[in-house]
Amino acid sequence: MGRAVTRYPGGRRFETAVGRFEITTDHTGTGPTPTDLFIASLPGCVAFYVAEYCERIGLDASGLTVELDYGRGPRNVSGFSIVVRLPSADVGARTEALRRVAEACYV
């Protein structure tokens, strides 16, 4: 079981320890908010799984991008849409396999 601990040193900034890392978030406009990090974690996770799969089966992952579009209301994030682009790979019949790999992301 993992654990993350956040402490508030003041000034609308927060420091969260997770694993061996410390992440600073804030609500002053000088760094990402926790919501920004949550949103960024999804395409980051998908990109990891897709790149790992491509490397394992010999597809060229150079230039890989994962684009995330989403809705953002005053109290929620919704309506996620993800596009994976592999401009250097001939995906061919592996499109469905790549979709399943992308959907395996924990986030």
Side-chain angles (χ1 to χ4, degrees), residues 16-30:
T16 301
V18 57
R20 59 189 175 115
F21 301 101
E22 187 164 296
I23 300 165
T24 300
T25 58
D26 75 31
H27 292 269
T28 66
T30 61

Side-chain angles (χ1 to χ4, degrees), residues 2 4 7-8 14 17 19 23 27 29 37 49 59 98 107:
R7 58 188 187 93
Y8 179 54
F14 301 87
I23 300 165
H27 292 269
L37 289 179
Y49 279 92
L59 280 177
L98 280 162
V107 179

Side-chain angles (χ1 to χ4, degrees), residues 48-60:
F48 168 76
Y49 279 92
V50 169
E52 184 177 65
Y53 174 74
C54 287
E55 290 171 4
R56 188 171 65 244
I57 66 166
L59 280 177
D60 186 354

Side-chain angles (χ1 to χ4, degrees), residues 22-101:
E22 187 164 296
I23 300 165
T24 300
T25 58
D26 75 31
H27 292 269
T28 66
T30 61
T33 66
T35 304
D36 294 334
L37 289 179
F38 169 74
I39 291 166
S41 69
L42 182 53
C45 182
V46 168
F48 168 76
Y49 279 92
V50 169
E52 184 177 65
Y53 174 74
C54 287
E55 290 171 4
R56 188 171 65 244
I57 66 166
L59 280 177
D60 186 354
S62 61
L64 164 67
T65 60
V66 177
E67 301 167 9
L68 171 68
D69 291 317
Y70 59 94
R72 189 168 183 172
R75 298 204 177 270
N76 66 359
V77 178
S78 63
F80 295 100
S81 172
I82 292 181
V83 175
V84 175
R85 298 192 192 281
L86 285 164
S88 302
D90 180 13
V91 175
R94 298 194 186 270
T95 301
E96 184 59 27
L98 280 162
R99 184 188 61 75
R100 285 193 308 270
V101 167

